[in-house]
Amino acid sequence: MTSMNKAGTHGEIIQDTVPEEGAKDAPIVELRNAGKSYGNIRALHGVDLQVFPGQVTCVLGDNGAGKSTLIKIISGLHQHTEGEFLVDGVPVRFSTPREALDKGIATVYQDLATVPLMPVWRNFFLGSEMTKGPWPVRRLDIDRMKKTADHELREMGIILDDLEQPIGTLSGGQRQCVAIARAVYFGARVLILDEPTAALGVKQSGVVLKYVAAARERGLGVIFITHNPHHAYMVGDHFSVLRLGTMELSASRAEVSLEELTNHMAGGTELAALKHELSQVRGVDVDELPEAKDLGAPVATASEGKS
């Protein structure tokens, strides 16, 4: 990534630092036995997660599995109530998302935090506009913002004919890609993507996955939240499956197949346990259901290091 601590910007831009020797072998973000409770409700418990630079860590789970709670802890929206949360090996407890951004942790939510009727370049700098001129008559540096937005989008392989067009006229996949490029430009080291392909068709999902891989190639640690194991397996280096707030599966790509990942995601463990009962129900084909012994993929702990 390029250092971008440019003068004349309203918002703060994080300046990249040169990684120390061996830094690529250390996780940027790490959760150790982390959990979150809301009063008497335990939403997350005993979660271990490591995010390394240049890797895509996929977090999968059904509705209510705890994916949103996990995102909120890492992005600084909520604080963990159990375990440890470390950034660059140092325990942290973020009070606001701004503190997470200052550490290089950026989140792209499903709603993308864009204004549909504003041009692409305005959305690219939304909240961190470049300005010029002396105070108190500073004004927007429109030409520089347009040139910078165009350059950064092209660096990510995103070519738009007209940056003046409202961002709402772009396809869902294109808007996701603009949001990813924006996060990369403003110094993200860890990029959290909240189900970026959930509302997209096959072609647009492929476009987004292409830029997820591009972010990995630029050295970012990517946390890819999804409920689609096929999308996860296309780009993922490590897979974590949440179920009812706990980590059911944590395995590297070499340790789990797409079929095993799909079975865990689809509740294969419960189906295997019920196979005998289901076999007695007329019209239910249980021949293809997995056996419990076939779902024994490893559950890694935080102490095991990089997969």
Side-chain angles (χ1 to χ4, degrees), residues 107-166:
T107 305
V108 178
Y109 292 99
Q110 292 184 49
D111 59 12
L112 302 178
T114 57
V115 182
L117 295 180
M118 278 189 175
V120 173
W121 65 269
R122 283 297 303 270
N123 275 279
F124 191 91
F125 285 97
L126 193 64
S128 299
E129 289 81 359
M130 292 179 172
T131 57
K132 62 182 179 180
W135 189 88
V137 289
R138 299 185 67 81
R139 59 194 184 278
L140 294 179
D141 193 344
I142 295 175
D143 289 339
R144 189 150 67 103
M145 283 192 283
K146 288 181 179 179
K147 291 178 181 177
T148 301
D150 184 53
H151 176 264
E152 294 300 323
L153 290 172
R154 288 176 182 273
E155 283 288 300
M156 288 289 291
I158 307 167
I159 301 175
L160 298 177
D161 295 331
D162 185 13
L163 293 180
E164 288 286 353
Q165 68 185 106

Side-chain angles (χ1 to χ4, degrees), residues 245-263:
T246 60
M247 190 72 76
E248 177 179 295
L249 169 74
S250 182
S252 68
R253 188 182 187 88
E255 295 173 316
V256 64
S257 67
L258 174 58
E259 183 180 3
E260 291 170 332
L261 186 64
T262 303
N263 284 334

Side-chain angles (χ1 to χ4, degrees), residues 30-154:
E30 183 175 5
L31 295 176
R32 296 178 182 171
N33 202 33
K36 173 67 177 177
S37 296
Y38 300 93
N40 294 328
I41 306 299
R42 179 178 271 183
L44 212 60
H45 173 63
V47 171
D48 294 322
L49 185 72
Q50 293 179 321
V51 181
F52 292 90
Q55 280 197 4
V56 177
T57 300
C58 299
V59 178
L60 302 97
D62 208 346
N63 293 335
K67 303 190 301 297
S68 296
T69 302
L70 182 65
I71 292 174
K72 291 172 182 176
I73 292 174
I74 300 176
S75 64
L77 193 61
H78 289 172
Q79 295 183 343
H80 57 289
T81 55
E82 303 173 18
E84 293 183 286
F85 176 21
L86 300 91
V87 176
D88 296 322
V90 179
V92 296
R93 184 177 290 272
F94 296 140
S95 299
T96 65
R98 172 57 63 183
E99 293 182 10
L101 283 171
D102 291 342
K103 291 289 187 179
I105 301 173
T107 305
V108 178
Y109 292 99
Q110 292 184 49
D111 59 12
L112 302 178
T114 57
V115 182
L117 295 180
M118 278 189 175
V120 173
W121 65 269
R122 283 297 303 270
N123 275 279
F124 191 91
F125 285 97
L126 193 64
S128 299
E129 289 81 359
M130 292 179 172
T131 57
K132 62 182 179 180
W135 189 88
V137 289
R138 299 185 67 81
R139 59 194 184 278
L140 294 179
D141 193 344
I142 295 175
D143 289 339
R144 189 150 67 103
M145 283 192 283
K146 288 181 179 179
K147 291 178 181 177
T148 301
D150 184 53
H151 176 264
E152 294 300 323
L153 290 172
R154 288 176 182 273

